[in-house]
Amino acid sequence: ARAQAMEITEKPDVSYDDIGGIDDQVREVREAVEQPLAEPELFEQVGIEPPSGVLLYGPPGTGKTMLAKAVATKTDATFIKMAGSELVRKFIGEGSRLVRDLFELAREREPAIIFIDEIDAVAATRTDSKTSGDAEVQRTMMQLLNEMDGFEHRGEISIIAATNRFDMLDRAILRPGRFDRLIEVPEPDVEGRERIFEIHSQDLSLADAVDYDTLAERTDGYSGAEIESVTTEAGMFAIRDDRTDVTMADFEAAIDKLESDDGTEYVSSE
Ligand code: ATP
């Protein structure tokens, strides 16, 4: 069960070029995580400590996981992902145990990047209720902070956490020595969306030139993940129509479909 709670990727293969519309965030993550992993001596010479932990926050599906994976790819680090919700356990001590296992695994596989998704599950502001479940979650969080404090050569292991609920976080985890580098990952703007459409269409067999500019204009408020669904849905339209080439009309139809239904049905309306 313990191994199932973590997802380990020995050789992740996400490149920075696969990420669209958040160039500033890519640069910040590279500075905060890639550089300390790649050139720890630089930080030593200058006499500064690299950030202890990086927190990526912003709406769902904007590329937070991709960012963490891309740094792991670039630095040849093992990517170890754990969902915060997995750390919330029924039995006393089980969550803390998972945290210890997580860091032990990272030490065995270093260089490694520990990615904790939905950190809010274990680091939300405490409610007043002193229920035992709450206290247990608190203990799990303390264990995580202890492990972070205990790093001697943290250059070889980096910790990145992500959340969609920055407002809910217990500010205690943001203190120096903890998650002390905050990077906001926003929804893409119109240029970002255009770039993300281009990225996700790279592998598509296209019939004619696609007007990415128009697609970007039509998808205000879409996340990167939603744009990816548009391209997949466009491909589905081509298949339903017995074509192997995707057209601009397929993209338009895909957006119409996602706008008009909840996106859960993949059945043609014919
Ligand atoms: P969550 O908060 O829901 O975990 P996330 O921010 O971690 O979401 P990712 O898992 O990185 O989002 O993105 C999901 C998928 O959406 C990616 O695999 C990718 O295909 C697409 N995607 C999201 N953001 C981008 C982006 N900026 N550029 C290109 N593709 C993107």
Side-chain angles (χ1 to χ4, degrees):
R2 211 165 289 147
Q4 276 165 13
M6 300 175 209
E7 176 193 313
I8 304 158
T9 313
E10 289 290 350
K11 288 210 166 295
D13 66 343
V14 174
S15 120
Y16 295 123
D17 293 337
D18 299 333
I19 307 173
I22 46 172
D23 295 350
D24 288 344
Q25 287 75 6
V26 169
R27 198 173 319 117
E28 283 184 64
V29 167
R30 295 189 67 170
E31 197 181 285
V33 189
E34 180 189 319
Q35 215 167 16
L37 275 176
E39 306 172 90
E41 67 285 350
L42 193 62
F43 287 77
E44 226 162 86
Q45 276 169 16
V46 177
I48 54 168
E49 295 272 340
S52 296
V54 171
L55 178 73
L56 306 175
Y57 67 98
T62 46
K64 297 184 289 298
T65 307
M66 285 184 98
L67 270 171
K69 270 197 178 151
V71 192
T73 305
K74 184 67 196 288
T75 54
D76 281 319
T78 306
F79 182 75
I80 307 172
K81 177 178 162 177
M82 169 83 103
S85 55
E86 288 280 353
L87 290 172
V88 178
R89 294 285 165 148
K90 249 198 328 252
F91 299 108
I92 303 239
E94 210 182 341
S96 312
R97 178 65 179 275
L98 270 171
V99 169
R100 278 198 301 275
D101 289 350
L102 183 63
F103 280 79
E104 198 177 294
L105 184 72
R107 279 187 287 266
E108 279 165 18
R109 309 282 179 96
E110 66 183 353
I113 290 182
I114 295 176
F115 179 67
I116 304 174
D117 204 2
E118 316 162 33
I119 186 88
D120 46 277
V122 279
T125 316
R126 297 302 126 211
T127 52
D128 284 333
S129 73
K130 289 270 179 287
T131 61
S132 62
D134 221 31
E136 180 57 14
V137 168
Q138 172 95 12
R139 258 197 297 277
T140 303
M141 192 62 222
M142 287 317 295
Q143 183 65 33
L144 176 62
L145 298 177
N146 278 339
E147 291 283 354
M148 290 175 74
D149 288 344
F151 271 178
E152 300 210 336
H153 54 291
R154 65 165 62 110
E156 301 288 322
I157 300 174
S158 284
I159 307 163
I160 303 176
T163 183
N164 307 324
R165 304 295 315 271
F166 185 73
D167 55 307
M168 274 180 49
L169 290 185
D170 185 340
R171 302 291 129 161
I173 75 159
L174 308 180
R175 287 193 202 130
R178 300 177 169 178
F179 292 97
D180 49 11
R181 181 64 70 94
L182 307 183
I183 302 175
E184 183 176 9
V185 184
E187 245 161 30
D189 62 10
V190 68
E191 277 159 32
R193 293 196 299 276
E194 186 173 344
R195 179 76 198 114
I196 297 171
F197 266 113
E198 282 170 10
I199 289 169
H200 284 285
S201 302
Q202 269 163 14
D203 292 334
L204 285 186
S205 159
L206 297 173
D208 43 22
V210 169
D211 182 3
Y212 297 112
D213 188 36
T214 301
L215 296 177
E217 294 283 355
R218 283 203 55 192
T219 47
D220 189 27
Y222 280 47
S223 67
E226 286 165 331
I227 291 172
E228 186 188 16
S229 329
V230 170
T231 58
T232 304
E233 191 58 44
M236 292 300 296
F237 271 103
I239 289 173
R240 279 179 209 131
D241 200 28
D242 274 336
R243 281 178 285 113
T244 52
D245 289 338
V246 180
T247 64
M248 179 66 184
D250 292 327
F251 278 98
E252 302 262 13
I255 295 172
D256 290 340
K257 182 172 193 292
L258 291 171
E259 291 286 315
S260 69
D261 66 24
D262 61 4
T264 52
E265 269 203 273
Y266 259 80
V267 181
S268 158
S269 54
E270 292 156 44

